[in-house]
Every structure is written in structure tokens, then in C-alpha cells.
Amino acid sequence: MLVGDFQGLKIYRAVPEDKLTRKDGTPREPRRLGKIHLAVFTPDGRRMIGFMVSPPDIAGMIKQPDRFVAFDALSWYEGVLVVADSKASYDKAAAERLGVDLDACIVWCGMDVVTEAGKTLGYCSNAAFNPKTGVVTAFTVTAGAAATALLGTVEMPASMVRGYRDGAMIVSDDAAELDVSGGMAAKAAEATVVISDKVKSGARKLDEHGSVAVEKGSRALGKQLGKTKGMFKAFKEEYKKASGSAGSSAKKKSKR
């Protein structure tokens, strides 16, 4: 199962067992908790333990801070994702139950990937994990939207992760030797068509100058939780800065 499969899904609070039905006998509907925002991993990258969930804005205007929801507290009910009705399903209480320090846990997806020798490979765009245990099997590494479309991505075994340093996922030097797969170039190779160096160079230039702001913004999200003030409260501002939208807004105001 991929972390990306959960991105943006709505999540609800499970109805307590003793309140499943109203006095008139009709079933109670679970209340919405929010939308799944980001996946949270243990510091070594070997296990996905839960998600940061963005609650709805109060009165449609006031932003509420994200909440951590343990993955093992989630289940499906009437076609929607629900979280068990217990304090141990959320935030610090959930982390204590899982035996982890939430501040030390990491959002790997969106983080730059660098080898121990200092070579930048791209950034982590997804992760595959066992839905029963949360154990991570592989991380997806991409150089950018254009490069992914043309050349594919790299599926890197989780065992190659060495840790976190200076805002980056540090991986084994062997990760630089992994084969790329899944892009148009890979499909063309199956038909014995060779992508020229000019095409590859063009993909790199397009990534440097033509990648969408959303992608740049998403890359700013990979973080160690304890280093983000207010548990992701500043992510919205960082996203705007990374995507360039904050700068454009400021220019508009100055013109006025």
C-alpha cells in the first residue's frame, strides 16, 4: 500500500459503541475529523505510524492545527475512514502507546534525498508500506515532475535509509546506483527506443524552470516534527514561500 493512496482522504470520528443508534432507533453518523495531510514515520524510516490530519477551519476562517492520528486506530465504516473513539488514537497519547517520541518522528515524503557522500538524488515523493504492520518496504525517489514523466522514478528499499540530517533524508551511497523505472523512457526502452542525451537534458531544464509551484511547495513539507513550531502550524506559510505564491502576493500589494 502507498502513502499517496491516503493523501487528501476525509477521516471521521468513530461513533462510540454505546451511541451507535439514537433513541428513535436510527443509526448515528460519524462526525468528520478532517482530511489526511501527511504521513508520519519513525526516525529510522522503517515504520509508518500514522497521519497528520487537518481539521476543518472554524467558521470557515480560523485555521486549526493539525492532529496526529495513529494508523492502527483507523478502520473502514460504511465506506469511510474512521478513527477509534479513544484518547490513545490521537497526538501524544497515541505516540506514548506506540512507544515513540512524536517530536523525533519524521515526515519523509517531500524531503530531499542525499547520499552519505553528499550526492543529491532528488526528493522522496511516496512510500510503500505493509497495511497490517506499518513496516515500510520502499521509498519513491524522484528528480521532479518532468523527469518522472520522461524517465520514471527510483524505488529505494527502506533499508537504505541512514537517517535525518540538515533537513534531508540521508541514504546509502548504493542508492545512487538504483535503476529508474516507470516513466516514458522505461516504456520506450522496452520497445528498444533509446532516449537521447538531449531529451534527458531537456527534462532537467524543464525541472529547473518549468516545474509547477505545487511540486515545489510539497517538497517543503518533509520535516522532523519537533523542528516544526506548533505541530505543522507553519506549513501553510512555508508552502507559500516554496511555491512563490507569497512573493507574488506581496508584489501585488506593493503595486497597489
Side-chain angles (χ1 to χ4, degrees):
M1 185 171 284
L2 296 174
V3 162
D5 294 337
F6 291 86
Q7 188 73 34
L9 288 183
K10 292 179 181 178
I11 187 170
Y12 297 79
R13 299 175 186 271
V15 180
E17 288 291 332
D18 59 345
K19 296 181 181 179
L20 288 174
T21 57
R22 298 185 179 90
K23 291 182 179 180
D24 61 3
T26 57
R28 293 182 185 276
E29 297 295 328
R31 291 181 302 162
R32 183 181 171 187
L33 177 65
K35 265 186 184 178
I36 289 180
H37 188 195
L38 302 163
V40 179
F41 302 81
T42 53
D44 60 5
R46 301 300 175 87
R47 187 159 60 108
M48 199 284 288
I49 60 171
F51 298 103
M52 297 307 297
V53 174
S54 298
D57 292 350
I58 299 175
M61 297 183 292
I62 303 174
K63 178 69 177 176
Q64 298 189 76
D66 284 2
R67 297 196 67 180
F68 171 72
V69 174
F71 181 70
D72 65 359
L74 298 177
S75 61
W76 292 97
Y77 173 79
E78 298 294 333
V80 298
L81 203 57
V82 297
V83 57
D85 181 50
S86 169
K87 289 183 178 180
S89 298
Y90 304 97
D91 305 318
K92 293 289 185 181
E96 290 177 5
R97 178 176 60 79
L98 295 170
V100 298
D101 176 2
L102 197 56
D103 285 343
C105 289
I106 294 176
V107 174
W108 289 116
C109 295
M111 188 177 290
D112 287 332
V113 179
V114 181
T115 66
E116 292 176 290
K119 181 178 181 180
T120 299
L121 303 182
Y123 72 99
C124 176
S125 60
N126 212 336
F129 67 98
N130 184 309
K132 292 183 179 180
T133 64
V135 172
V136 179
T137 54
F139 287 99
T140 300
V141 181
T142 178
T148 297
L150 286 171
L151 308 174
T153 58
V154 171
E155 298 304 313
M156 182 188 70
S159 59
M160 287 191 171
V161 175
R162 296 292 179 263
Y164 168 90
R165 185 175 69 233
D166 298 330
M169 172 192 281
I170 307 301
V171 301
S172 166
D173 291 335
D174 294 336
E177 307 302 321
L178 294 174
D179 292 330
V180 175
S181 63
M184 288 189 293
K187 294 178 181 178
E190 294 175 3
T192 66
V193 176
V194 179
I195 301 291
S196 69
D197 288 338
K198 289 184 179 180
V199 173
K200 293 180 181 180
S201 176
R204 285 194 293 271
K205 289 180 180 178
L206 183 57
D207 276 333
E208 291 172 5
H209 304 292
S211 292
V212 293
V214 171
E215 181 187 339
K216 293 179 182 178
S218 68
R219 290 188 60 180
L221 300 181
K223 282 189 178 293
Q224 186 174 32
L225 297 193
K227 292 182 179 294
T228 305
K229 186 178 180 180
M231 291 289 289
F232 293 78
K233 193 174 182 180
F235 268 23
K236 188 174 182 180
E237 287 74 15
E238 291 186 13
Y239 179 92
K240 288 182 178 179
K241 290 178 183 177
S243 65
S245 58
S248 60
S249 297
K251 288 179 181 179
K252 288 180 181 179
K253 290 182 179 180
S254 63
K255 288 182 180 179
R256 292 176 184 175

